[in-house]
Amino acid sequence: MNPLWSTSFFRSKKEEESLAYFLSQVPIFSDLGKRDCGQLESLVHCRSYRQNETIFEEGDPGSGMYIIRSGRVQVFTRMSDGSEMELARLDEGDFFGETTLTAPANRTASVRAVEPTELLGLFRADVVEMVKKQPPVACKILMGVTRIISERLQIAGKELMEFRQEKARAAAEDEAS
Amino acid sequence: MNNMSIPPKAKVNRNQALLFYLTLTAGIATGLIVYSSATTIVTLLRTATTALFIPLLVSLVLTFLLEPPVTFLERKTGRRTLSIFIVYTLLGLLIYLFMIWMIPNSKAAWQSLQADLPRYLGRLTEYFKELVDKLHNEFPVVATYDLPARGRAMAEQVLGGILISTPKSALGIGGILLIVPLFTFFFLRDGSRIVRTCLSFIPNRTFEMVHDMTYLIIMQLSYFVRGRIIEAAIIGCVVYAGLSLTDIRYAFFLAVFAAITNLIPYIGPLIGMVPGVLIALIDLGFGGQFWWIVITYFIIAQVIVDNFILIPILISRFSNLHPLWVITSIIIGGKLFGVIGMIIGVPIVSIIKITFTEIRHYRRTFSLIETTLEAEQS
């Protein structure tokens, strides 16, 4: 393609396939510019998983988040009787494990690839390095993570509130009957 | 049913036994070959590693030292390669200025040292003779051991060794001067990429843990290396300042020697003060200046500055080694790589200790649940 036309409107296919372009499309990194995404590209780790391969288990030490570049994963938890309870299925562009990006904590659920999957791992150690070397870029990444965590926390809070109200209503109905 | 199953079982056992004996014979034969040529392999490995090991190690140390200024400049300029070039230029300028100041002084000092060395050795021999005579008077049995002859033989052996290894060391230093700046440049520029490439070979299941631990180990190592070098430099400066107050000659060389030997814990500072105390004893005698030099070396540099100020601030508690490990690593380092091995032996053992401590600490922080891959099961 003529370099003159290869602007954002006439983006070449190659650019759309690039890792930096993919990262710019992930909501968590929406504040990042083109150059920042290039920096982020050098931070993430590309990992390939086979079908049914465990990405991490509940209780594992967590040190970062994963973004699904291709494929699909299943988030699940193990019940006391050993059976598995599916919590979510995530597709291309989704991400998980972001709560351990800033603070070391154990994983709260297990994740498994349900088909051959390619993941991009972003880990705390790399973000800390970025804070030292490129504070503005690191700030944008962390702002994005904070925004997403806040949104999810608000949703979780709302659900908890609804659950409590429902429980209280059920208790009141029991008492009335 | 059981009778029918015995013959095939016995056949399998015979085959297995045959295979076992064949493997055992092959194993013994290989073992004998390896054992007979072990010396050659070890020598070959040692030659190959000596040539590359020291420059690599020096480059790594320099990378750890230069990382903070390069990162600082990268934050300002936004470009890593440019930042490295700026740091290199400034460092080159500093070395140039140091050489301009150093060369005329060191020339004169070297010439006078050449003249003084036989005098120092002569006086040392006299002291030794006096000591032996005293011993003879006190304990007549000692005379049968012929201590002067043994001492002379030992000194000749040591001096001979030094003279033989000097041209080799000079060649090595030439190589280091050429290779080290190049290695350091690439380590500074592509260090994180090299680590990432190495990490990419780690299996998925342990990748996250290894990645996290690698970062922690590198961080601890950089603190340790920077701490040790800064500590040695400050000790050198303190010794130089202390010696400059007296009439002792070669204060600068003595301070450099004290700084280098300070890299070896426990024994290093003692070795570092020997030439200074000897020169003071021969040139200045038992006077106020001699005792001031001893106080400078021992109380000011080691006890006050090093133990009370520098070690608590600069050196992490992780890297503290037991004296037994220090002595063992010096002996092994000395046997493998000579004088340089004696200096680098302790830091290398410290590095290994830091690595193990970090792994243990990490495993304690997170009790990793051992899980097998479902994919492997299927």
Side-chain angles (χ1 to χ4, degrees):
Chain A
M1 184 181 257
N2 187 339
L4 198 68
W5 294 102
S6 59
T7 59
S8 55
F9 295 105
F10 297 96
R11 195 176 283 117
S12 63
K13 202 185 170 192
K14 201 181 167 192
E15 196 183 341
E16 278 182 1
E17 280 173 356
S18 76
L19 196 58
Y21 177 74
F22 172 79
L23 287 167
S24 70
Q25 302 301 303
V26 179
I28 214 163
F29 307 123
S30 57
D31 290 345
L32 295 164
K34 202 177 170 185
R35 206 179 154 201
D36 301 336
C37 282
Q39 299 265 14
L40 183 64
E41 193 182 341
S42 65
L43 273 192
V44 294
H45 299 261
C46 297
R47 308 293 301 178
S48 297
Y49 293 83
R50 290 165 290 165
Q51 191 176 7
N52 290 331
E53 188 174 347
T54 305
I55 294 151
F56 55 72
E57 279 279 354
E58 197 175 333
D60 275 3
S63 64
M65 61 180 283
Y66 291 92
I67 305 143
I68 306 169
R69 197 179 186 194
S70 66
R72 188 186 285 187
V73 302
Q74 177 197 31
V75 184
F76 65 96
T77 186
R78 283 207 167 83
M79 310 302 284
S80 50
D81 61 349
S83 63
E84 290 174 3
M85 185 175 83
E86 187 177 290
L87 300 173
R89 270 188 188 242
L90 305 173
D91 293 312
E92 191 182 314
D94 288 335
F95 49 90
F96 54 92
E98 68 282 354
T99 47
T100 58
L101 188 66
T102 48
N106 289 346
R107 299 285 186 194
T108 50
S110 306
V111 182
R112 178 196 294 142
V114 287
E115 55 186 78
T117 303
E118 200 182 327
L119 298 179
L120 301 175
L122 177 64
F123 301 106
R124 193 172 47 250
D126 299 314
V127 176
V128 170
E129 275 297 297
M130 193 56 125
V131 169
K132 281 183 200 161
K133 289 175 184 169
Q134 304 279 344
V137 184
C139 191
K140 284 178 192 169
I141 295 170
L142 291 173
M143 278 301 283
V145 174
T146 316
R147 196 184 63 237
I148 297 291
I149 291 176
S150 310
E151 282 172 13
R152 290 188 175 177
L153 199 64
Q154 275 184 344
I155 294 167
K158 255 183 200 173
E159 279 182 10
L160 191 69
M161 193 77 91
E162 281 171 12
F163 174 73
R164 275 183 181 167
Q165 280 172 355
E166 217 164 86
K167 205 178 160 188
R169 209 179 299 132
E173 275 172 16
D174 278 351
E175 263 181 37
S177 62
Chain B
M1 185 83 180
N2 273 341
N3 287 342
M4 278 175 76
S5 65
I6 287 168
K9 212 178 173 185
K11 198 182 167 189
V12 169
N13 274 348
R14 206 175 297 140
N15 281 344
Q16 277 178 339
L18 189 69
L19 195 72
F20 173 74
Y21 284 120
L22 269 174
T23 317
L24 198 71
T25 320
I28 292 167
T30 318
L32 280 171
I33 292 166
V34 169
Y35 180 74
S36 62
S37 59
T39 342
T40 334
I41 293 169
V42 168
T43 321
L44 199 75
L45 267 176
R46 210 173 67 180
T47 322
T49 48
T50 321
L52 203 68
F53 185 68
I54 305 292
L56 263 176
L57 201 81
V58 176
S59 308
L60 275 174
V61 168
L62 271 176
T63 308
F64 282 135
L65 277 177
L66 297 179
E67 181 65 38
V70 168
T71 308
F72 175 77
L73 282 172
E74 193 188 350
R75 218 180 295 160
K76 304 278 171 200
T77 60
R79 287 178 181 182
R80 193 156 178 87
T81 314
L82 180 72
S83 314
I84 299 168
F85 274 122
I86 294 171
V87 169
Y88 261 51
T89 314
L90 289 173
L91 198 71
L93 207 70
L94 265 174
I95 293 169
Y96 177 70
L97 288 173
F98 178 74
M99 290 300 230
I100 284 178
W101 171 77
M102 178 70 193
I103 287 171
N105 286 336
S106 67
K107 234 182 196 173
W110 182 248
Q111 277 166 356
S112 80
L113 187 70
Q114 273 179 323
D116 281 342
L117 205 62
R119 194 164 61 86
Y120 291 139
L121 286 175
R123 286 299 296 272
L124 199 69
T125 323
E126 273 176 37
Y127 277 125
F128 189 65
K129 264 185 188 168
E130 278 173 28
L131 191 78
V132 170
D133 287 342
K134 265 187 192 170
L135 270 173
H136 280 191
N137 292 337
E138 298 281 331
F139 310 101
V141 192
V142 179
T144 53
Y145 288 107
D146 193 17
L147 279 176
R150 280 186 182 211
R152 205 181 305 128
M154 205 197 260
E156 273 169 9
Q157 202 183 341
V158 169
L159 272 173
I162 291 169
L163 283 174
I164 288 164
S165 63
T166 305
K168 274 188 198 169
S169 304
L171 270 176
I173 288 165
I176 285 174
L177 285 176
L178 201 75
I179 296 167
V180 165
L182 270 173
F183 273 17
T184 311
F185 176 79
F186 287 114
F187 281 157
L188 278 169
R189 204 185 70 141
D190 305 322
S192 54
R193 209 178 298 165
I194 294 166
V195 174
R196 284 164 64 84
T197 311
C198 294
L199 282 172
S200 67
F201 297 108
I202 304 290
N204 282 334
R205 195 69 191 91
T206 45
F207 171 76
E208 211 178 314
M209 190 184 74
V210 174
H211 176 270
D212 214 20
M213 268 189 330
T214 310
Y215 172 76
L216 289 170
I217 290 164
I218 290 174
M219 204 172 67
Q220 280 294 336
L221 281 186
S222 63
Y223 285 150
F224 169 74
V225 170
R226 256 176 252 154
R228 276 278 175 225
I229 302 283
I230 294 169
E231 182 203 359
I234 292 172
I235 290 296
C237 290
V238 169
V239 169
Y240 182 66
L243 295 185
S244 299
L245 295 175
T246 65
D247 294 330
I248 196 167
R249 284 184 292 174
Y250 322 115
F252 179 77
F253 291 112
L254 291 172
V256 169
F257 185 71
I260 293 169
T261 51
N262 201 73
L263 292 170
I264 308 166
Y266 305 109
I267 304 158
L270 289 173
I271 301 169
M273 68 190 284
V274 167
V277 171
L278 271 177
I279 290 174
L281 191 69
I282 291 162
D283 278 355
L284 310 169
F286 273 112
Q289 287 196 3
F290 171 79
W291 290 113
W292 169 250
I293 286 164
V294 173
I295 287 169
T296 302
Y297 267 119
F298 196 72
I299 297 177
I300 300 176
Q302 283 310 314
V303 179
I304 300 173
V305 178
D306 204 21
N307 279 318
F308 289 155
I309 304 169
L310 296 179
I311 290 178
I313 298 171
L314 294 171
I315 311 295
S316 149
R317 68 191 162 81
F318 282 127
S319 52
N320 285 338
L321 283 180
H322 191 273
L324 204 69
W325 281 113
V326 171
I327 295 162
T328 315
S329 48
I330 290 167
I331 293 167
I332 294 172
K335 277 276 172 197
L336 284 172
F337 299 106
V339 181
I340 295 171
M342 287 171 90
I343 297 168
I344 62 168
V346 177
I348 286 174
V349 174
S350 303
I351 286 166
I352 295 166
K353 197 203 167 187
I354 289 170
T355 310
F356 276 105
T357 315
E358 274 303 329
I359 291 170
R360 205 172 57 191
H361 178 71
Y362 192 89
R363 286 186 75 91
R364 269 186 199 165
T365 314
F366 300 99
S367 51
L368 183 68
I369 301 162
E370 294 295 332
T371 46
T372 49
L373 295 177
E374 266 98 333
E376 277 175 8
Q377 286 172 350
S378 60

